[in-house]
């Protein structure tokens, strides 16, 4: 009996060891092994001395030593990947020491992981960490997939704010799907600033206001915050001007205050001159990019310390003087963000200067408010008015890849006719090619040769809004825009929310293609939803009248005399078959120029 019990115990131990070994079989990926750029937040990826630097190697001889040293810290760098694993491990080493005594180690040297759901919503991932010679983060109990497919979702890994990463690896269990994602093609938001921009004193990298802003705007962001050394220096400005930015943000006033104990004392006249020189240097290199000047957000002890208030009010007055002088000289597309819009209170900082996570969020909110106005990318309060991505379909095509294909196609062909929609448009025909084309001949017969198919499977109004904000109507002048979107919102939004999304979308279309005729097409009828679709199309008719754009309701060709869809024209009660597409094309063609 004892022998048998011992054998069972020994077998159990062996099985336990085997299970343990299997559970610890991880596949590790090092970003340095990638054959394409994967570290987002670097403006000079091919000129780096070390793989996680922020300035090019040549800058070591151009900028002051302290600026160069700070540029080797990985603030703002982010790596994207897709995975369908329930566990993700990160391991890496850093080369510096703890920089700020009042900033958590998780902010100075930690990493931060966010997930993007297949509906485009951001999720934060909590991980267990251990700091040693090698730092490790273990993210467990992750739901490996969303509700659409089994290929996982996108993750975004934010790197340390105040330390230099020497090497880093991402691990997922053997057998899990893992795919690194390339740096996004959008022009970045470029921030030149101080320790506050670099991230002091966020509790973790994702809570730096720059990181929050990048997520809010869903754009690449280059963080050129240099702790204590954001001083609008010519050597750094020359480097900043090399970046083809979506917008430049200059937030250097906290390092330009005129203090008696300053190691680099400046006069008000010198500060004004630096601001004006910087703006003119950027404008000379980049004629069109907006330039944003941020006022000093203030010190949160000002109510008890009059000197603190004097320091920031003095430099803010200088900034306003410089801004007025630049405007009087005819410098265009420059903006100023007033202190009040950053919303800092006595609860907002760690030490009166550097924000807590609350202060960082308040800073990001202030920036988002202004940048959305400056870039003409408004967002509303309901889901149809908040631009987001999606990845609901990975069996037949890749949404992000299709976005890149559309951008490339438009840049090469300058289409005169643009057709925007969801899978009904996507699967009709035309270019860029979709996974299938159920009405290729009718597409060509309807829209001609110089048309682009900007239909994406599963798209909702908010997804089209994101695509418009991210370049799909930039760089060419179309004659006509045909838009059919909203059927995929029916199960998630009220009629009022759908109408709000349409209004915002029409505004975005008109701003980016002011010369084009915009034809808003009613939602096509679908099985068991005919009455609601008809009521929504009446709303769209009213909206187009108020917006002075064209309305067309070609989907009526799908209806029988009793108001129900003709099932013989569909493959599934939603997507037309070849005959259905032919009838749809015939209804649209009279309006095509």
């Amino acid at each position: 009996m004892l022998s048998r019990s011992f054998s069972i115990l020994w077998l159990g131990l062996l099985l336990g060891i085997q299970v343990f070994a299997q559970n610890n079989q991880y596949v590790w990926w090092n970003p340095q092994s990638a054959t394409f750029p994967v570290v987002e937040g670097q403006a000079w990826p091919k000129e780096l001395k070390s793989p996680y630097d922020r300035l090019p190697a040549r800058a070591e001889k151009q900028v002051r030593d302290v600026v160069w040293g700070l540029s080797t810290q990985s603030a703002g760098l982010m790596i994207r990947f897709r995975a369908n694993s329930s566990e993700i491990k990160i391991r890496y080493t850093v080369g510096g020491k703890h920089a700020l005594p009042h900033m958590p180690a998780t902010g100075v040297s930690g990493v931060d992981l966010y997930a993007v759901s297949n509906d485009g919503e951001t999720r934060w991932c909590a991980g267990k960490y251990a700091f040693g010679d090698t730092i490790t983060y273990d993210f467990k109990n992750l739901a490996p997939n969303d509700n659409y497919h089994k290929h996982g979702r996108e993750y975004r890994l934010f790197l340390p704010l105040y330390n230099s990463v020497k090497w880093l690896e991402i691990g997922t269990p053997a057998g899990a799907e893992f795919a690194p994602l390339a740096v996004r093609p959008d022009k970045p938001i470029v921030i030149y600033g101080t320790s506050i921009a670099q991230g002091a004193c966020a509790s973790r990298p994702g809570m730096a206001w720059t990181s929050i802003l990048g997520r809010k705007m869903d754009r690449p962001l280059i963080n050129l915050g240099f702790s204590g050394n954001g001083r609008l220096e010519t050597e750094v400005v020359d480097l900043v001007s090399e970046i083809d930015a979506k917008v430049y943000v200059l937030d250097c006033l906290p390092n330009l205050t005129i203090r008696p104990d300053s190691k680099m004392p400046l006069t008000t006249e010198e500060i004004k001159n630096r601001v004006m020189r910087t703006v003119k240097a950027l404008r000379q290199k980049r004629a069109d990019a907006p330039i944003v000047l941020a006022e000093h957000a203030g010190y949160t002890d000002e109510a008890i310390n009059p000197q603190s208030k004097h320091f920031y009010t003095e430099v803010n007055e200088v900034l306003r003087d410089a801004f007025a002088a630049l405007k009087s000289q005819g410098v265009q597309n420059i903006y100023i963000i007033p202190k009040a819009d950053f919303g800092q209170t006595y609860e907002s900082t760690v030490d009166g200067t550097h924000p807590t996570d609350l202060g960082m969020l308040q800073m990001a909110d202030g920036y988002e408010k202004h940048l959305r106005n400056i870039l003409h990318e408004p967002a509303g309060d309901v889901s149809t008015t908040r631009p987001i991505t999606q990845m609901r379909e990975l069996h037949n095509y890749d949404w992000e890849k299709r976005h890149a294909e559309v951008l490339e196609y438009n840049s090469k062909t300058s289409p005169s006719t643009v057709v925007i929609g969801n899978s009904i448009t996507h699967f009709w025909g035309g270019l860029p090619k979709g996974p299938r084309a159920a009405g290729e001949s009718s597409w060509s017969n309807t829209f001609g040769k110089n048309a682009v198919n900007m239909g994406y499977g599963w798209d909702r109004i908010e997804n089209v809004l994101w695509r418009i904000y991210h370049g799909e109507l930039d760089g060419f002048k179309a004659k006509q825009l045909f838009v059919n979107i909203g059927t995929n919102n029916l199960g998630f939004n009220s009629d009022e929310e759908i109408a709000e999304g349409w209004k915002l979308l029409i505004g975005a279309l008109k701003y980016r293609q002011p010369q084009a005729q915009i034809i808003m097409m009613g939602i096509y009828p679908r099985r068991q939803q005919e009455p609601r679709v008809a009521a929504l199309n009446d709303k769209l008719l009213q909206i187009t009248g108020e917006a002075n754009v064209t309305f067309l309701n070609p989907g009526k060709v799908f209806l029988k005399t009793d108001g129900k869809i003709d099932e013989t024209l569909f493959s599934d009660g939603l997507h037309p078959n070849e005959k259905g597409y032919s009838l749809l094309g015939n209804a649209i063609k009279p309006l095509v120029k």
Side-chain angles (χ1 to χ4, degrees):
M1 186 71 179
L2 180 62
S3 176
R4 182 172 179 272
S5 300
F6 180 80
S7 298
I8 292 173
L9 176 62
W10 179 246
L11 179 61
L13 289 172
L14 284 175
L15 288 173
I17 292 170
Q18 284 185 332
V19 170
F20 181 84
Q22 290 171 358
N23 287 341
N24 283 272
Q25 292 300 310
Y26 275 76
V27 177
W28 293 91
W29 173 73
N30 189 320
Q32 295 177 51
S33 69
T35 57
F36 49 86
V38 295
V39 181
E40 199 162 276
Q42 294 175 322
W44 300 270
K46 297 180 179 179
E47 299 185 53
L48 301 175
K49 182 177 180 179
S50 298
Y52 299 102
D53 287 351
R54 290 185 287 154
L55 291 180
R58 55 188 159 88
E60 186 172 9
K61 297 181 179 179
Q62 298 173 347
V63 301
R64 290 184 293 117
D65 289 346
V66 65
V67 174
W68 171 253
L70 290 164
S71 77
T72 66
Q73 297 172 351
S74 56
L77 302 191
M78 185 263 285
I79 298 167
R80 299 189 310 136
F81 58 91
R82 288 194 197 127
N84 67 352
S85 168
S86 60
E87 186 172 2
I88 296 172
K89 292 179 179 289
I90 315 294
R91 62 189 184 191
Y92 60 101
T93 60
V94 294
K97 57 183 181 181
H98 195 96
L100 300 175
H102 55 322
M103 185 172 175
T106 48
V108 172
S109 302
V111 296
D112 213 356
L113 187 67
Y114 287 76
V116 180
S117 79
N118 291 328
D119 282 321
E121 299 290 343
T122 299
R123 305 282 186 263
W124 179 69
C125 306
K128 292 187 176 181
Y129 47 83
F131 285 82
D133 292 339
T134 297
I135 301 172
T136 61
Y137 272 72
D138 194 356
F139 300 91
K140 292 183 176 181
N141 302 316
L142 304 171
N145 296 290
D146 293 334
N147 298 323
Y148 300 98
H149 52 74
K150 301 299 182 182
H151 300 285
R153 66 182 66 80
E154 177 183 333
Y155 289 91
R156 300 180 180 183
L157 181 70
F158 291 84
L159 302 190
L161 295 169
Y162 262 80
N163 221 326
S164 305
V165 175
K166 296 305 179 184
W167 66 267
L168 178 145
E169 291 181 333
I170 300 171
T172 51
E177 292 187 28
F178 177 90
L181 295 175
V183 170
R184 291 173 290 178
D186 306 76
K187 291 183 179 181
I189 299 169
V190 176
I191 313 288
Y192 176 25
T194 68
S195 56
I196 300 171
Q198 184 170 339
C201 288
S203 65
R204 47 189 174 83
M207 287 309 298
W209 72 257
T210 44
S211 301
I212 299 171
L213 180 65
R215 292 195 300 276
K216 283 175 170 287
M217 301 296 294
D218 202 12
R219 288 193 173 278
L221 185 143
I222 293 176
N223 184 335
L224 296 179
F226 302 116
S227 184
N229 289 275
R231 303 181 67 84
L232 300 181
E233 295 168 300
T234 300
E235 299 80 6
V236 179
V237 173
D238 287 345
L239 290 166
V240 173
S241 69
E242 294 178 10
I243 307 170
D244 187 10
K246 184 71 175 178
V247 58
Y248 297 98
V249 174
L250 303 176
D251 191 354
C252 290
L253 290 196
N255 287 163
L256 296 174
T257 54
I258 303 170
R259 295 171 176 268
D261 58 349
S262 175
K263 296 179 181 178
M264 299 180 67
L266 298 172
T267 64
T268 56
E269 189 63 27
E270 173 60 19
I271 296 170
K272 181 178 178 179
N273 288 338
R274 287 195 183 200
V275 172
M276 296 183 68
R277 281 200 308 266
T278 298
V279 171
K280 289 179 179 179
L282 292 175
R283 183 55 71 236
Q284 183 177 8
K285 286 276 191 75
R286 306 292 174 181
D288 299 322
I291 300 172
V292 178
L293 305 174
E295 284 194 358
H296 195 309
Y299 300 109
T300 55
D301 66 339
E302 64 173 80
I304 198 74
N305 187 340
Q307 191 177 46
S308 293
K309 186 172 184 178
H310 167 74
F311 287 144
Y312 78 76
T313 54
E314 183 177 41
V315 290
N316 282 347
E317 288 173 5
V318 174
L319 185 71
R320 288 191 288 271
D321 287 344
F323 181 75
L326 289 163
K327 295 293 286 185
S328 69
Q329 295 174 15
V331 180
Q332 299 298 312
N333 210 10
I334 59 172
Y335 307 86
I336 193 166
I337 301 182
K339 167 190 177 293
D341 286 356
F342 293 123
Q344 302 293 283
T345 71
Y346 61 85
E347 307 283 14
S348 299
T349 69
V350 173
D351 54 4
T353 301
H354 299 98
T356 60
D357 288 356
L358 171 62
M360 291 291 187
L361 180 60
Q362 292 165 334
M363 293 281 291
D365 285 344
Y367 272 111
E368 183 191 17
K369 169 187 170 183
H370 283 268
L371 291 189
R372 287 204 175 279
N373 287 332
I374 292 167
L375 299 177
H376 299 275
E377 297 179 4
D381 296 325
V382 298
S383 65
T384 55
T385 61
R386 294 194 294 267
I388 55 174
T389 61
Q390 61 103 338
M391 191 60 72
R392 303 181 186 108
E393 173 65 86
L394 267 179
H395 295 290
N396 292 320
Y397 85 106
D398 183 314
W399 194 90
E400 184 172 317
K401 182 181 178 182
R402 181 161 176 81
H403 173 60
E405 290 171 348
V406 166
L407 294 177
E408 182 180 11
Y409 183 83
N410 289 347
S411 68
K412 290 181 177 179
T413 63
S414 296
S416 59
T417 303
V418 175
V419 189
I420 298 173
N422 46 51
S423 57
I424 301 173
T425 300
H426 190 185
F427 300 150
W428 190 346
L431 297 172
K433 281 187 174 295
R436 64 179 186 270
E440 188 69 62
S441 60
S442 63
W443 171 277
S444 301
N445 186 48
T446 302
F447 299 111
K449 294 182 178 180
N450 194 22
V452 57
N453 183 329
M454 284 170 46
Y456 289 48
W458 292 88
D459 254 21
R460 301 174 191 159
I461 297 169
E462 56 267 32
N463 306 132
V464 174
L465 195 63
W466 186 96
R467 296 197 272 124
I468 300 308
Y469 286 177
H470 288 256
E472 289 194 6
L473 290 181
D474 296 346
F476 67 97
K477 293 183 178 181
K479 293 180 180 178
Q480 291 182 297
L481 310 177
F482 290 86
V483 183
N484 171 256
I485 196 68
T487 195
N488 289 323
N489 291 93
L490 294 177
F492 301 91
N493 298 104
S494 68
D495 292 4
E496 291 71 25
E497 290 171 337
I498 291 172
E500 288 302 307
W502 277 333
K503 291 175 185 177
L504 199 63
L505 178 59
I506 290 171
L509 297 170
K510 293 175 75 172
Y511 174 75
R512 286 158 180 81
Q513 292 282 340
Q515 78 296 327
Q517 180 191 16
I518 298 172
I519 301 99
M520 295 295 295
M521 298 190 289
I523 296 176
Y524 303 142
R526 58 188 295 171
R527 182 188 296 152
Q528 298 181 346
Q529 301 226 33
E530 295 93 340
R532 184 183 180 193
V533 167
L536 272 167
N537 287 342
D538 286 342
K539 283 184 178 289
L540 181 57
L541 173 61
Q542 181 179 354
I543 290 168
T544 56
E546 294 169 354
N548 195 29
V549 300
T550 303
F551 173 78
L552 180 65
N553 193 12
K556 290 189 293 185
V557 300
F558 296 131
L559 294 174
K560 299 185 296 185
T561 56
D562 63 358
K564 301 295 185 181
I565 65 167
D566 184 344
E567 295 280 356
T568 66
L569 302 177
F570 293 87
S571 62
D572 56 5
L574 173 64
H575 297 91
N577 55 27
E578 186 174 2
K579 182 180 178 182
Y581 277 123
S582 179
L583 291 175
L584 182 63
N586 290 338
I588 296 172
K589 188 175 180 179
L591 266 71
V592 179
K593 294 179 181 178

